[in-house]
Amino acid sequence: MGFFMKKKTHTEIKINLLLVIFGVIFFMTTVAGECEFKAVFNFGDSNSNTGGYYAAFPALHPPYGITYFKQPAGRASDGRLIIYFLAQSIGIPFLSHYLRSIGSNFRYGVNFSTVSSTVVKQNDTTISPFSLDVQLNQLKQFKQIVDDHYSSDLHIPQPEVFKKSIYTIYIGQNDFTKMLQSCSVNNMSALRDVGSGISSTIKEIYGLRGRTFLVFNLAPMGCYPELLVESHNALDIDTSGCLIPCNNAVDAYNSMLRAELDQARQELPKGDLIHVDTHAILRGIFDNPTSYGIEFATRACCGYGDGPYNYKPDVVFCGNSKVVAGKNVTASVCCDPGKYMHWDGIHLTEATNRIVAAAILGGSYFYPPFPMSDFCAI
């Protein structure tokens, strides 16, 4: 059987090697603590939310958190997120959320992201009230508290930490899906507002002494069950089972975002504004899932409806039960989330998040090149 296995690409081999040594990396960085970055401040949506939204609006229930936490832990996944793996790789533990009132430790940074957050404010009750500008104001408030009240016995960082931190920004997915109409963006100027909103946020944080920014671009949304279940022409599906028009729209947005960062980089000469190409990483997995141990690339692990996508949120969403046609139905979980890319049709599994984080740490998906190993022992 081994003689007939598909030959892996250099990138696939590199990522798989990183996954093998991931545990060693975490052990070494946690023990040594040798990193110039002393904290992480994260802004975003459910892709990096670690409990903020559910601290304000409790709602999560099993099977969320089933893989790692064994119970719901405020993450829209079965386990850990990309931000966790990145932070731990430089010796930083779980990031406490700004809205969490009990058990928080902000010495190593803060997570401001929440589920359903957007860059541009939306007149939509299904969208989080904690848009990017609100998250920015929370950072300003936090910095003021640190500057005015720092004490070694408080669970807050030293005032000089803001210049020695990484600022991660992973947001835009909800803005994008709200603008879609038949898998095409009907308002390109509104889409540009998303990129410029991220850019202006970076400039304000720069004014607060922030210098290092990792900005994640948008995933290939045309490969997500959330959009694949929409009515479409068979000719719109590519060889990986993804919607071509949707991914073309994503490419247009990502190009705008990169242009915005290029312009901002010229205005902020002392800053490192790094474009993180998560899109390329995820696209590589969608195109060759078995190379990464994934069996189901476009099917939700937790969902209802079976079929190719196992996703019918209009009937019942992951973990929920409902009476349909006189029968009680439940959107149940798959047997092995580790074999799926998608958790609930909108969010990724821990297995996928781990692969993405390993690829990012490899350094090949930064633009411009950013030698993380020069700053941290990874």
Side-chain angles (χ1 to χ4, degrees):
M1 180 178 176
F3 293 100
F4 299 99
M5 290 179 66
K6 178 183 175 183
K7 185 177 180 180
K8 293 185 178 182
T9 65
H10 175 72
T11 299
E12 290 165 358
I13 293 172
K14 185 176 181 181
I15 291 175
N16 287 333
L17 285 172
L18 281 165
L19 287 169
V20 171
I21 64 174
F22 225 24
V24 177
I25 291 175
F26 286 169
F27 175 78
M28 290 176 64
T29 54
T30 301
V31 173
E34 296 178 359
C35 186
E36 291 186 26
F37 299 115
K38 303 305 179 184
V40 173
F41 293 95
N42 182 68
F43 305 82
D45 51 31
S46 53
N47 290 306
S48 59
N49 170 61
T50 56
Y53 186 87
Y54 300 111
F57 309 105
L60 265 189
H61 45 73
Y64 283 87
I66 190 174
T67 295
Y68 182 79
F69 302 99
K70 309 305 178 185
Q71 63 182 354
R75 280 82 170 162
S77 179
D78 61 311
R80 294 166 291 183
L81 310 179
I82 295 170
I83 185 64
Y84 166 81
F85 292 115
L86 295 182
Q88 191 177 15
S89 73
I90 60 174
I92 291 175
F94 282 115
L95 283 182
S96 293
H97 199 282
Y98 190 68
L99 298 178
R100 185 182 175 189
S101 58
I102 300 174
S104 290
N105 184 348
F106 300 124
R107 287 176 179 164
Y108 306 101
V110 184
N111 194 346
F112 299 101
S113 66
T114 70
V115 170
S116 298
S117 287
T118 55
V119 176
V120 180
K121 282 185 178 293
Q122 308 284 326
N123 294 319
D124 188 336
T125 56
T126 66
I127 291 296
S128 168
F130 302 103
S131 52
L132 186 57
D133 62 322
V134 174
Q135 295 178 31
L136 173 62
N137 285 333
Q138 290 174 334
L139 170 67
K140 292 177 179 178
Q141 182 184 54
F142 179 75
K143 185 177 186 302
Q144 190 64 55
I145 292 171
V146 171
D147 289 343
D148 294 344
H149 304 290
Y150 172 73
S151 172
S152 59
D153 60 346
L154 295 177
H155 294 300
I156 58 176
Q158 297 180 8
E160 59 267 24
V161 77
F162 296 96
K163 191 175 181 179
K164 301 176 181 179
S165 299
I166 295 178
Y167 295 83
T168 51
I169 302 175
Y170 194 3
I171 193 169
Q173 181 170 320
N174 296 306
D175 297 87
F176 183 82
T177 53
K178 286 293 178 183
M179 294 178 192
L180 284 183
Q181 187 174 44
S182 299
C183 260
S184 63
V185 179
N186 58 1
N187 190 338
M188 294 304 289
S189 63
L191 199 57
R192 278 190 286 271
D193 289 342
V194 178
S196 63
I198 292 174
S199 176
S200 63
T201 298
I202 290 172
K203 293 173 185 176
E204 290 214 44
I205 297 174
Y206 185 88
L208 299 175
R209 302 184 70 199
R211 291 296 181 267
T212 304
F213 303 86
L214 301 184
V215 184
F216 298 71
N217 64 3
L218 198 61
M221 295 301 300
C223 304
Y224 281 45
E226 178 186 19
L227 297 182
L228 284 166
V229 296
E230 300 295 330
S231 178
H232 57 262
N233 190 309
L235 296 176
D236 289 336
I237 299 293
D238 65 19
T239 55
S240 297
C242 303
L243 280 167
I244 298 170
C246 284
N247 282 338
N248 287 343
V250 169
D251 290 340
Y253 166 76
N254 284 340
S255 294
M256 290 181 191
L257 176 63
R258 183 159 172 166
E260 284 285 347
L261 294 178
D262 288 344
Q263 178 60 42
R265 203 173 289 116
Q266 296 179 24
E267 299 174 30
L268 309 175
K270 294 183 180 179
D272 287 310
L273 279 63
I274 311 303
H275 177 270
V276 184
D277 197 357
T278 47
H279 179 280
I281 301 169
L282 287 167
R283 186 70 226 205
I285 306 171
F286 280 116
D287 290 343
N288 297 286
T290 56
S291 297
Y292 303 94
I294 300 293
E295 292 185 19
F296 305 98
T298 57
R299 177 182 171 84
C301 166
C302 183
Y304 171 77
D306 202 21
Y309 309 121
N310 193 35
Y311 183 76
K312 287 187 177 180
D314 55 326
V315 179
V316 62
F317 193 64
C318 173
N320 291 303
S321 296
K322 184 179 180 181
V323 176
V324 179
K327 295 182 179 181
N328 189 58
V329 299
T330 300
S332 56
V333 66
C334 64
C335 294
D336 187 355
K339 294 181 180 179
Y340 287 71
M341 280 196 72
H342 293 286
W343 167 241
D344 57 11
I346 301 175
H347 308 101
L348 303 174
T349 59
E350 176 179 299
T352 307
N353 289 328
R354 182 190 291 270
I355 295 169
V356 173
I360 291 172
L361 289 170
S364 299
Y365 296 93
F366 290 143
Y367 177 81
F370 183 65
M372 182 79 81
S373 58
D374 287 358
F375 301 93
C376 302
I378 62 172

